[in-house]
Amino acid sequence: EEELTLSAEDVQDGMIQVELLTTERKEPVLQICAVAAKGNQDYVELVNLSGQYVSTKGYYLSDGEDSYKYVLPVTMLSPGESIRLVGKDNFSPDSLGQFALNFNLKQGETLTLTRSSDTVDAVTIPEMSKDGVYVKDFQKGIYTEQKRERER
């Protein structure tokens, strides 16, 4: 709670002029951190990079013109936590227990993460090797292909 203190020196011609300055409070958002789109083991990972809990409510993923193609399941992500969403045809053992998209990821498509009508993040999927995953380096702001690690 802040306090505003005025004195007689602030009064000019019987009036007080007050200027309110505010800063926009950015709501924490999710970001696309990894995409694998080769073969039948497609997936996308989203991460909460903020220092606050983030709800996935109101977020959508799309691989085309329909911005609302896939509604993210409602869950809370703690700071630094990620969520993996697997492609529609991903039936690998690693996909068990993961949320499934209603589409597959393909080279040349732009994967878009939206909230309400605002684009939060987007990435165009490049040609990748079968065991490649396109990972974002948030310090440099670029994606690079890395070898996919098998989960245990």
Side-chain angles (χ1 to χ4, degrees):
E1 191 174 312
E2 296 187 27
E3 187 175 307
L4 175 63
T5 305
L6 300 172
S7 68
E9 297 161 357
D10 297 316
V11 178
Q12 294 178 352
D13 297 325
M15 296 185 71
I16 299 174
Q17 185 171 355
V18 177
E19 183 177 349
L20 176 63
L21 301 175
T22 62
T23 56
E24 184 179 340
R25 184 174 176 206
K26 291 256 183 192
E27 192 169 322
V29 294
L30 299 176
Q31 294 285 300
I32 299 169
C33 64
V35 178
K38 189 77 170 184
N40 64 351
Q41 296 183 11
D42 300 0
Y43 69 84
V44 59
E45 283 186 6
L46 307 175
V47 66
N48 171 10
L49 293 177
S50 77
Q52 302 173 38
Y53 281 86
V54 173
S55 172
T56 58
K57 184 177 181 177
Y59 282 91
Y60 302 87
L61 273 172
S62 173
D63 63 346
E65 292 181 21
D66 179 5
S67 299
Y68 307 107
K69 190 169 189 175
Y70 177 79
V71 180
L72 264 66
V74 178
T75 188
M76 291 294 287
L77 297 178
S78 59
E81 186 177 8
S82 63
I83 183 173
R84 180 177 284 193
L85 304 140
V86 298
K88 178 173 78 170
D89 295 333
N90 184 339
F91 300 111
S92 69
D94 293 343
S95 71
L96 294 175
Q98 305 289 336
F99 295 107
L101 297 166
N102 56 358
F103 59 91
N104 290 310
L105 304 169
K106 298 177 198 76
Q107 170 194 342
E109 292 179 323
T110 298
L111 181 64
T112 306
L113 177 65
T114 36
R115 183 159 188 236
S116 301
S117 60
D118 298 325
T119 297
V120 175
D121 201 7
V123 59
T124 300
I125 302 169
E127 174 68 32
M128 286 187 270
S129 62
K130 187 166 177 107
D131 62 348
V133 59
Y134 206 41
V135 178
K136 188 170 188 178
D137 179 331
F138 288 99
Q139 290 182 334
K140 295 179 182 176
I142 59 170
Y143 285 88
T144 56
E145 184 176 345
Q146 297 179 10
K147 187 172 173 104
R148 192 183 313 206
E149 293 181 22
R150 299 288 297 164
E151 292 186 1
R152 298 175 199 245

